[in-house]
Amino acid sequence: MRIVFLGPPGAGKGTQAETISKGKKIPHISSGNLLREAVETGTDTGMKAKYYIEKGLLVPDQIVVDIIKDRIVKKDCKTGYILDGFPRTLSQAKVLDETLKNLGDKLDLVFYFSVSEESVVLRLSGRRLCGICGTNYHVEFVPSSKDGICDKCGGKLNQRADDKPETVLERLRVYHEQTEDLITYYKKKSILKQISSDAGIEAITKEVSDIINCTLQKKPLISRGVV
Ligand code: AP5
């Protein structure tokens, strides 16, 4: 099953993608993580992307599209994947459609995680990531047992550079300007499912899982938020 997770920064896309991908045994492909890895390893792509990420702007389409095109043809993607944070512009969405068509595939579902701006600011200001294994925490909502230390590997927890308040506001502005149009694009294709992401993490996981299961079994779903 080929799935897209769409929504504003801090909507919980990464948190849900992590759990759902384990449950469904399909890879979680985060464009943000792939770009940050490229920045850390100092590749040409990473060097170009760094400038945009730090400013809260979108990395140019061609850079991101090339990374995703290379990733989705890997062996582990044969039975599907979750694309988290990609596509983010209409042009990216059209390239994805075309690429999938050429591969004889198509997108099955797009989840749009809607969340209040108040929650976004609260979530991103409290988000902490393990510098070693990348596990995602929140100082209030998903705290580690020992302050500042990862439960899984003992690594130090850090704040993402683009989670500074002024960059978060810029990321939100960019989301409204360049990504929101995708909601209508996928609604017209009748594959969009809206999830209210102001709920608790486990409730959201259950709602998303139920929708995926019903789609796999081709059963109708009667649930809140489905459009
Ligand atoms: P990216 O890494 O994709 O960032 P984002 O989309 O802004 O999303 P976030 O990772 O900030 O949020 P999320 O929705 O995954 O929330 P999370 O689950 O972590 O992109 C970063 C940058 O890369 C972009 O700005 C751009 O420059 C570039 N980029 C990436 N993709 C691109 C593309 N396609 N095109 C161009 N440029 C691109 O949750 C946040 C926090 O809240 C966590 O601490 C979590 O524990 C907590 N939390 C989650 N859910 C809940 C809940 N239900 N209740 C309470 N707390 C919760």
Side-chain angles (χ1 to χ4, degrees):
M1 178 159 270
R2 289 161 192 85
I3 303 169
V4 164
F5 279 8
L6 172 70
K13 306 179 295 295
T15 302
Q16 294 301 331
E18 199 59 41
T19 312
I20 302 280
S21 76
K22 279 187 194 132
K24 301 291 170 212
K25 298 189 172 51
I26 49 175
H28 165 202
I29 302 175
S30 155
S31 47
N33 286 348
L34 291 172
L35 288 166
R36 279 184 292 277
E37 273 165 34
V39 171
E40 268 165 41
T41 44
T43 61
D44 276 357
T45 301
M47 290 301 99
K48 283 182 200 145
K50 190 170 188 275
Y51 168 85
Y52 299 94
I53 296 174
E54 283 178 356
K55 288 200 156 25
L57 301 172
L58 291 189
V59 172
D61 285 341
Q62 200 53 54
I63 295 179
V64 191
V65 160
D66 286 347
I67 291 181
I68 297 294
K69 272 184 165 178
D70 285 350
R71 182 65 187 86
I72 61 174
V73 291
K74 296 224 161 110
K75 214 172 153 192
D76 63 338
C77 290
K78 265 208 162 124
T79 58
Y81 41 79
I82 299 175
L83 288 175
D84 160 17
F86 181 93
R88 241 166 160 110
T89 62
L90 271 178
S91 143
Q92 291 179 13
K94 286 177 184 164
V95 175
L96 178 63
D97 284 348
E98 196 57 36
T99 307
L100 289 175
K101 198 173 155 197
N102 291 338
L103 292 168
D105 297 328
K106 64 172 179 48
L107 278 182
D108 299 289
L109 283 171
V110 175
F111 286 94
Y112 159 45
F113 295 88
S114 65
V115 68
S116 67
E117 295 215 353
E118 203 183 6
S119 293
V120 166
V121 174
L122 209 66
R123 286 181 190 180
L124 295 186
S125 58
R127 172 164 59 186
R128 299 292 180 270
L129 296 161
C130 174
I132 296 174
C133 71
T135 301
N136 195 333
Y137 295 89
H138 189 281
V139 289
E140 189 182 338
F141 308 129
V142 191
S144 57
S145 334
K146 214 170 159 194
D147 202 19
I149 304 291
C150 178
D151 291 344
K152 288 193 186 154
C153 72
K156 190 170 168 270
L157 303 186
N158 306 312
Q159 188 164 27
R160 235 168 75 176
D162 60 348
D163 280 348
K164 286 183 294 205
E166 62 276 20
T167 318
V168 167
L169 293 180
E170 180 62 1
R171 285 162 61 199
L172 271 170
R173 187 194 66 74
V174 167
Y175 168 78
H176 292 309
E177 192 181 278
Q178 299 189 55
T179 307
E180 241 169 19
D181 285 349
L182 292 180
I183 297 166
T184 315
Y185 181 79
Y186 287 122
K187 211 180 237 182
K188 280 189 188 151
K189 290 181 180 284
S190 305
I191 52 173
L192 188 83
K193 310 289 179 195
Q194 181 171 346
I195 304 287
S196 166
S197 200
D198 281 308
I201 293 175
E202 284 171 19
I204 298 171
T205 306
K206 183 172 182 324
E207 196 177 351
V208 172
S209 276
D210 286 349
I211 293 173
I212 294 175
N213 292 340
C214 285
T215 306
L216 279 170
Q217 295 158 18
K218 297 193 171 27
K219 275 189 195 163
L221 183 92
I222 302 158
S223 154
R224 75 182 163 88
V226 179
V227 293

